[in-house]
Amino acid sequence: MASETIREAQFWENLDGDVECSLCHQQCLIRPGKRGICGVRENRNGKLITLVYGSLVAANADPIEKKPFFHFLPGSLAYSIATVGCNFRCLHCQNADISQLPRETGQIPGEFVSPESVVANANALGCQSIAYTYSEPTIFFEYAFDVAALAHEVGLKNVFVSNGYMGEEAAQKIAPILDGINIDLKGDDQFYRKVCGAKFEPVEHNIDLFQKRGVWVEVTTLLIPGYNDSEAVLKDLAEFLAGVSPDMPWHISAFYPMHKMKDVPRTGIESLRRGLQAGRKAGLQYVYVGNIPGESENTICPVCKEEQIERMGYSIMRNCVIDGHCSNCSAKLAGVWK
């Protein structure tokens, strides 16, 4: 572990030698020499230390649609970065090899990359944004904030792909330099407790918080057969999102067996269409299906119903949006278009 990746953390309090971390809603009480649930924040002699500052295990130029963002600079590239670690323990995690590695093995791999280098690399590759993704960006908050601040200064956008469990203080601090966030709304409270090792209410709170702070919010729900795809659960999730904003895009994605849920079948099209129907019935204007190319992934004007963006997987086949407005009826389309 390189010395430059070890820094004093933010958002903590010393309690007679123990450390209480308030970075996220897990609110870990960490004994001396131990780490929090994320596996990357450690109590060293009564001081909270982050072990992953700049310690990147992934850095790629991805289509912004892959995050997924459908109403945020469509067709652009996002420079996507991640360290190891996560404050959830989702049984179905698609990136468990990096998210769960510190918690399960204690190992913290990665190569130090300075914030300045991240911004320079993003610009060199023609990216319009930096995406903090793959693992949970909250757990490398100190690094993410420094990168985001530099990116903001040079005109690059910043987007988080997050489980939405950020603590109040951290959320309020990042909001002014965060342009977009895609938050996983994974299911009801029972699902969060059983599958993720977390609670539903903080995620609900943060979706509302970032929306009110003017950050562009899109939401993703991965439908897992028998766990979170019932009509009742989908109805509740859709009605909550519509209550925050009917313009908030909702991505209903198909599950494929992985990690500790390899015995659960992949999501059928009937579940996905049930989610689509729930979203539309609740009044959401933009509901999409993910992980199945060609199925309900185009952007339709909510006023005249004319197709404005045609997609195939992560590719834009046709984009008719003109300066954030429908090319047919001139209605304003919700999103960040330039």
Side-chain angles (χ1 to χ4, degrees):
M1 193 183 304
S3 59
E4 60 261 56
T5 68
I6 302 172
R7 307 282 179 95
E8 182 174 344
Q10 299 177 27
F11 315 116
W12 59 276
E13 183 181 359
N14 184 300
L15 301 176
D16 295 326
D18 294 340
V19 166
E20 182 178 58
C21 177
S22 56
L23 173 66
C24 82
H25 283 277
Q26 295 288 11
Q27 295 284 321
C28 293
L29 185 66
I30 308 171
R31 304 285 185 186
K34 303 297 182 182
R35 299 178 185 176
I37 288 172
C38 63
V40 299
R41 298 169 80 79
E42 183 176 296
N43 179 348
R44 289 194 177 177
N45 301 314
K47 179 185 293 186
L48 188 62
I49 301 296
T50 173
L51 306 175
V52 291
Y53 188 97
S55 188
L56 295 186
V57 292
N60 303 290
D62 290 331
I64 193 72
E65 286 76 17
K66 189 177 181 180
K67 302 300 106 185
F69 281 98
F70 278 13
H71 289 241
F72 191 99
L73 304 180
S76 68
L77 292 175
Y79 192 64
S80 304
I81 62 172
T83 73
V84 294
C86 187
N87 51 353
F88 278 17
R89 53 160 181 75
C90 298
L91 302 180
H92 58 291
C93 182
Q94 64 179 349
N95 290 321
D97 55 331
I98 62 173
S99 69
Q100 302 303 310
L101 185 68
R103 191 173 66 86
E104 293 180 352
T105 70
Q107 298 178 25
I108 301 183
E111 179 179 345
F112 179 75
V113 181
S114 71
E116 293 81 5
S117 294
V118 171
V119 172
N121 291 341
N123 275 321
L125 291 169
C127 297
Q128 293 186 40
S129 61
I130 297 177
Y132 309 79
T133 180
Y134 304 135
S135 60
E136 172 51 45
T138 299
I139 60 92
F140 59 93
F141 183 92
E142 293 80 8
Y143 180 61
F145 183 88
D146 287 352
V147 173
L150 288 177
H152 185 73
E153 288 178 5
V154 300
L156 285 170
K157 302 291 188 184
N158 294 297
V159 297
F160 270 25
V161 181
S162 175
N163 59 29
Y165 224 57
M166 202 180 305
E168 184 79 15
E169 191 177 356
Q172 295 289 358
K173 182 169 183 175
I174 195 69
I177 55 173
L178 189 65
D179 300 285
I181 186 168
N182 187 304
I183 294 179
D184 283 348
L185 185 63
K186 297 178 183 290
D188 58 12
D189 193 61
Q190 181 181 4
F191 181 92
Y192 272 93
R193 293 174 185 270
K194 181 179 180 180
V195 178
C196 307
K199 299 176 183 178
F200 172 74
E201 190 280 329
V203 181
E204 186 179 46
H205 170 78
N206 277 333
I207 290 173
D208 186 62
L209 182 153
F210 282 110
Q211 173 71 20
K212 288 179 177 174
R213 288 300 307 269
V215 178
W216 177 251
V217 181
E218 301 197 22
V219 172
T220 299
T221 301
L222 185 74
L223 294 191
I224 304 178
Y227 283 81
N228 63 351
D229 65 340
S230 69
E231 286 188 13
V233 170
L234 291 169
K235 176 177 181 289
D236 287 347
L237 298 182
E239 289 180 349
F240 161 68
L241 293 176
V244 177
S245 172
D247 288 332
M248 185 180 295
W250 189 25
H251 302 265
I252 307 290
S253 294
F255 162 83
Y256 292 85
M258 54 184 59
H259 193 36
K260 297 183 179 180
M261 298 185 79
K262 292 180 180 177
D263 57 339
V264 178
R266 59 185 289 182
T267 310
I269 194 65
E270 65 282 353
S271 290
L272 298 168
R273 289 175 178 166
R274 190 158 58 239
L276 278 171
Q277 183 178 13
R280 290 168 178 168
K281 187 175 181 180
L284 290 171
Q285 302 286 1
Y286 309 101
V287 188
Y288 300 101
V289 165
N291 293 346
I292 300 184
E295 179 70 31
S296 300
E297 56 188 356
N298 298 333
T299 296
I300 309 297
C301 173
V303 177
C304 71
K305 309 304 179 186
E306 282 286 316
E307 183 179 278
Q308 293 300 296
I309 302 179
E310 179 186 354
R311 300 180 180 86
M312 180 56 67
Y314 303 135
S315 299
I316 300 289
M317 312 305 292
R318 184 171 61 94
N319 184 352
C320 300
V321 177
I322 301 174
D323 195 24
H325 292 79
C326 173
S327 61
N328 182 60
C329 72
S330 298
K332 182 174 174 55
L333 303 176
V336 177
W337 306 105
K338 65 178 182 178

